[in-house]
Amino acid sequence: MLSVLSVDLGTVFCMADAYTDALRELREFSGDDPSRLAEPIARSFPVSGASICTLGEILSAETVSASDPVAARLDELQLDLGEGPCWDALRSISPVFEPDIQHSPRGAWPMFLPAVAHEAIGAVFAFPLVVGHLRLGAVDLYCIEPMTLSPLQIRQASTLAAVVSRLVLRRALEAARDDEPMHPPVDRFSRRAIHQATGMVIAQLGVSVDDAEMLLRGHAYAENRSMAEVAADILDGRLRFSIEAEGIEDVQ
Amino acid sequence: MRGELREARLVEGFATLADTLVEGYDVVDLLQNLVEICQDVLSVEAVGLLLADEGGELDLVASTSEDPRLVNAMQLDAEAGPCRLSFETGEQEALVGLSALDDAPAGWFAFRRAAEQLGYGSVAAVPMRLREKRIGVLSLYRFEAEALSAADLRAAQALADVATIGILHERVAREPDAVRNQLQRALNTRVVIEQAKGVLAHTHGVSTERAFELLRGYARSNRLGLHEVAQRLVGRTLIF
């Protein structure tokens, strides 16, 4: 009973432009207020709305941005109930697709499904927000009608989610740095160790210097330890980042 | 070392330094050569070179060994030890007999203990300066608890002077910013070298100390600067 939305070519090209714009907008975002970030994501796909939320063990569960009240409600339900596509997406580090959530749901959510039955929501797609092995949240897309996403749209949404992931982590780390000088300033010797550990992470994951540094800092933040301590663990081989399937796991 | 042989190696050392000072040379390569020449020519077991950043803090930029314990000792020396003192006075300073209850300042204790634990018996610090402009310190470590000979100290100062003049030459008066930028770049290069050591330590399954030797060896045999090789390793455009 899947009703496929027919879209003419003009709409498709428009979407492609909207996606490029969204990618640029998210990459260049440097403002203080992230509450409008879901809008360019929503415009990139033939969906009704989008939302960005943080959840999991590292960041507190909250909606960062929602393009409309229904998107906000979808997030709120999942965050309040502690279950739903965004939780599963984060847990599995892979997208979760519900093309017809009202009539043929794929997931088993005893509380979320009855709750979503009261909403004007036909399809839900959740993309995890992860940086390396750090699980941060999810981007949800919804459509009032049942619909499917094409493989290209899935790739595009995953790319946008990857950009949002870095943005969310960077903001969290900046906020943490501003809030409290958690750890004493790093001495020169430890700083060398941190640079060496950054190099190890670059080689372990094949990521850029910036990402490797962010992963180190994010790991330290998630475990409430200093970067120097995490660096020492990496150099000693007690902590190793490795790529496992799509996600990145740390091997302790 | 026999007199003539030493003279010959010293001359070779100066020639190597002069060769490094070509247009567009990298300060880190120059300084790495300097510490290696010193180790080769002088009766010392380890040599470090520390440059001052804009705040006057000394940071290790080149060393004959990347053993983290030695690096730590040198860094402690830069905070409170003969090395720090030499930078402040602009004169050669030395500490002979690290374990003896001498009249060394109490603040040097951390450095003395760290160096002593590694088996060192004496340290000499040679300033890198041209007239009133001080840019860093060359520190020389010996296992023997005996002062470096006057001839060795003169040679060390002469080598340090060549490198200092190479860095400063006549630009001090004309472009003070150029010198500052160059020194800052050398300090930044060190960051990339540390990252590259991490990359190699992982890909080769070796210590960071050994990783530096690999980096140095690759740069030398391919006639490339340390910075360039390190940058490419970190950017994953070079894999060896």
Side-chain angles (χ1 to χ4, degrees), chain A residues 79-114:
Chain A
L79 295 181
D80 286 353
L81 299 172
E83 63 174 37
C86 70
W87 291 97
D88 287 14
L90 193 59
R91 199 169 300 124
S92 61
I93 314 190
S94 52
V96 168
F97 308 111
E98 287 292 346
D100 187 2
I101 197 162
Q102 301 293 358
H103 305 103
S104 51
R106 297 172 177 182
W109 299 293
M111 292 175 288
F112 173 70
L113 285 178

Side-chain angles (χ1 to χ4, degrees), chain B:
Chain B
M1 203 181 292
R2 277 189 16 252
E4 323 81 271
L5 179 60
R6 206 186 81 126
E7 290 304 310
R9 293 174 89 159
L10 195 52
V11 168
E12 204 176 305
F14 278 112
T16 306
L17 277 190
D19 279 349
T20 316
L21 291 166
V22 292
E23 187 67 29
Y25 75 96
D26 194 326
V27 174
V28 171
D29 288 313
L30 170 73
L31 300 180
Q32 187 65 37
N33 277 331
L34 174 61
V35 296
E36 288 174 16
I37 290 164
C38 285
Q39 187 186 35
D40 195 36
V41 174
L42 313 173
S43 303
V44 296
E45 277 74 37
V47 185
L49 196 139
L50 299 103
L51 287 184
D53 64 18
E54 289 192 36
E57 292 294 312
L58 293 167
D59 209 345
L60 190 67
V61 169
S63 167
T64 51
S65 161
E66 300 282 309
D67 178 346
R69 295 169 306 167
L70 178 62
V71 169
N72 187 36
M74 288 175 168
Q75 215 52 85
L76 290 170
D77 189 3
E79 278 161 32
C83 177
R84 179 77 224 171
L85 184 63
S86 170
F87 179 69
E88 283 166 3
T89 61
E91 304 292 333
Q92 292 177 0
E93 301 290 346
L95 183 60
V96 178
L98 293 178
S99 56
L101 291 168
D102 53 26
D103 53 359
W108 291 11
F109 182 72
F111 153 66
R112 286 172 58 184
R113 193 179 49 188
E116 194 195 341
Q117 277 171 356
L118 293 169
Y120 293 103
S122 66
V123 179
V126 172
M128 295 194 53
R129 68 180 166 95
L130 184 63
R131 291 184 286 277
E132 76 284 5
K133 176 79 181 167
R134 283 168 288 179
I135 60 169
V137 178
L138 178 67
S139 54
L140 308 158
Y141 286 62
R142 303 189 75 189
F143 287 145
E144 272 182 76
E146 198 181 291
L148 206 56
S149 71
D152 267 6
L153 272 176
R154 266 202 309 279
Q157 187 68 65
L159 287 163
D161 287 349
V162 170
T164 306
I165 292 164
I167 291 171
L168 297 178
H169 50 93
E170 86 278 26
R171 285 190 301 183
V172 179
R174 267 194 303 127
E175 312 165 60
D177 278 354
V179 172
R180 193 158 55 234
N181 292 345
Q182 198 177 22
L183 293 179
Q184 194 53 51
R185 204 157 49 236
L187 293 168
N188 294 344
T189 292
R190 197 62 226 187
V191 171
V192 184
I193 289 174
E194 295 303 326
Q195 291 168 344
K197 279 163 64 180
V199 169
L200 288 176
H202 179 74
T203 53
H204 288 67
V206 295
S207 68
T208 50
E209 196 179 343
R210 175 77 189 123
F212 182 76
E213 292 166 17
L214 293 173
L215 174 65
R216 179 85 176 121
Y218 185 90
R220 192 172 267 172
S221 56
N222 290 280
R223 299 185 160 276
L224 293 167
L226 282 171
H227 182 255
E228 187 184 350
V229 174
Q231 191 72 62
R232 286 166 58 190
L233 279 167
V234 167
R236 309 299 281 149
T237 57
L238 170 69
I239 292 170
F240 68 78

Side-chain angles (χ1 to χ4, degrees), chain A residues 47-64:
Chain A
V47 297
S48 309
S51 62
I52 301 168
C53 66
T54 53
L55 65 151
E57 287 169 3
I58 302 171
L59 303 178
S60 57
E62 63 181 0
T63 298
V64 176

